Amino acid sequence: MLEIRCPWCGPRAEIEFVYGGEGGLARPLNTEELTDEQWGDYLFMRSNPKGLHHEQWRHASGCGRWFNALRHTVTYAFQGTWKIGEAPPTMVAELNK
Ligand SMILES: [Zn+2]
């Protein structure tokens, strides 16, 4: 069984968590100035990489809190987790460029 480390509770079984999509996406502030294509890109287009992926997860059967994670999409191995609002590990900043 896969083990995921909640930043508040520590390591827990995978079944306690739910996936929340790609992490690091900021809602545009100027939505009235966006074209339909730009708005559609924000809503629907995701990176879907083969390799390291910045994701959001929720400890649904535990503390209920959301957090960020860096996971490898081929091996499923989590490289790290961190709280919302905390600075991400350096490797995540490189992924989001
Ligand atoms: Zn937790």
Side-chain angles (χ1 to χ4, degrees):
M1 175 175 286
L2 186 64
E3 195 171 76
I4 301 173
R5 184 191 161 278
C6 172
W8 289 273
C9 307
R12 296 289 193 273
E14 170 190 7
I15 59 171
E16 294 186 12
F17 296 85
V18 293
Y19 174 69
E22 185 169 352
L25 300 175
R27 181 186 170 98
L29 297 175
N30 56 343
T31 54
E32 63 282 344
E33 298 171 13
L34 297 179
T35 65
D36 288 346
E37 184 176 350
Q38 290 170 320
W39 184 242
D41 285 349
Y42 164 70
L43 291 176
F44 303 113
M45 301 306 286
R46 297 297 179 256
S47 61
N48 194 26
K50 182 179 181 181
L52 290 176
H53 191 223
H54 179 184
E55 302 173 336
Q56 297 179 96
W57 284 78
R58 183 171 173 260
H59 193 184
S61 297
C63 63
R65 293 178 171 165
W66 286 93
F67 60 92
N68 291 295
L70 185 64
R71 184 180 65 90
H72 198 284
T73 58
V74 176
T75 64
Y76 296 101
F78 281 77
Q79 305 295 312
T81 58
W82 67 100
K83 297 174 183 176
I84 301 290
E86 281 185 343
T90 327
M91 58 196 323
V92 175
E94 294 297 318
L95 288 174
N96 290 332
K97 283 186 178 176

